[in-house]
Amino acid sequence: MSTGVFKERAGGIRELKPEILKQLYLRSNGHPCQLLIRMLWETGIQVREAVALKVKDLRLEEGQIRIVSTGKSMLRRGRLGPSDRCREKRERWIQLPGVLYYPLCRCVHGRDQDEFVFFARTPHSPLSARTLECYLKELGAELGLDGLCASAFRDTFILHNLRNGVTLEALQLHLGFRTRQPLKRYQRYVGAYQGVSYPQVPVLRAGGM
């Protein structure tokens, strides 16, 4: 990758620079996917988890977001449940980043609790992950960012938190992993190892703005 879009690309990990995140947010102004893009890098949740969110999953005053189980997420999106039960993620509640409070308040104000937060043609039809990926490809082309995809936001979130001292346990719970195994490649990426002791700091967001 020679464009300098990503800080590094190793083991399939892509880390977006803060100035790139800002450009993406500003360039997507007025587009239905703008808030979704911001949520992905501020929370680190997967696209399929984000597009399955309904208004009733947001407890804005309590600062919480409910991420439903993998099976329920697939049913909401009109798909069959997961065939591999061992890989299914359980339902969990995550912290709502403060920067998303007012944008989400505006987004869901006066809406029915059973509507999708991010929708396509109607509020009862969720935006598809494919639609977002296609938009990111177009957005990346406009900005000269080759290979831009939604997983880069998740990678950026995880690396930012590791560098700021968030523990593996906290990240595991936040992201819904059954074990810490998926985080090991990120540890290697930042040069962190199991024996390193991190201070507890409430970051759990990608920052940059």
Side-chain angles (χ1 to χ4, degrees):
M1 188 74 62
S2 60
T3 60
V5 174
F6 304 106
K7 288 184 177 179
E8 282 188 60
R9 183 175 179 179
I13 295 174
R14 298 175 173 181
E15 183 178 16
L16 293 167
K17 297 178 180 179
E19 57 268 27
I20 295 301
L21 292 175
K22 185 174 183 178
Q23 286 183 38
L24 290 170
Y25 184 75
L26 294 176
R27 183 59 68 94
S28 61
N29 185 41
H31 194 279
C33 287
Q34 184 187 39
L35 181 56
L36 173 56
I37 291 172
R38 185 72 185 269
M39 174 172 279
L40 290 177
W41 92 60
E42 293 288 359
T43 64
I45 62 176
Q46 294 177 301
V47 177
R48 65 188 182 192
E49 294 174 330
V51 297
L53 286 173
K54 291 190 174 184
V55 176
K56 63 185 178 184
D57 297 321
L58 304 179
R59 289 182 180 174
L60 299 179
E61 296 305 320
E62 290 84 1
Q64 295 180 319
I65 302 174
R66 177 173 62 179
I67 308 299
V68 297
S69 67
T70 304
K72 193 168 186 177
S73 169
M74 295 183 74
L75 290 174
R76 283 185 176 186
R77 292 180 289 123
R79 299 176 180 272
L80 297 176
S83 56
D84 185 354
R85 305 298 295 184
C86 292
R87 299 189 64 182
E88 180 174 359
K89 290 185 177 181
R90 301 185 183 93
E91 180 178 306
R92 68 190 190 279
W93 288 88
I94 66 171
Q95 174 186 336
L96 170 70
V99 294
L100 293 180
Y101 175 77
Y102 286 111
L104 283 173
C105 282
R106 291 191 292 269
C107 176
V108 303
H109 178 70
R111 293 175 55 189
D112 184 80
Q113 291 291 300
D114 207 43
E115 293 180 358
F116 286 96
V117 176
F118 307 106
F119 58 89
R121 295 176 179 83
T122 72
H124 294 282
S125 176
L127 185 76
S128 71
R130 181 178 176 82
T131 297
L132 174 66
E133 293 289 6
C134 288
Y135 175 63
L136 287 176
K137 185 176 180 180
E138 295 175 5
L139 191 60
E142 291 178 12
L143 295 173
L145 313 181
D146 297 329
L148 180 65
C149 58
S151 62
F153 299 126
R154 185 175 176 85
D155 291 343
T156 301
F157 172 88
I158 294 173
L159 293 171
H160 174 82
N161 279 277
L162 283 176
R163 290 196 177 105
N164 282 275
V166 174
T167 64
L168 292 181
E169 181 182 11
L171 275 173
Q172 178 188 343
L173 292 173
H174 179 86
L175 298 170
F177 294 143
R178 288 179 177 270
T179 70
R180 299 176 189 175
Q181 184 65 33
L183 295 171
K184 288 187 176 180
R185 65 192 185 107
Y186 294 100
Q187 278 189 299
R188 291 192 293 269
Y189 184 97
V190 297
Y193 297 95
Q194 196 68 23
V196 177
S197 178
Y198 292 114
Q200 284 276 16
V201 292
V203 182
L204 283 179
R205 49 176 299 220
M209 289 185 64

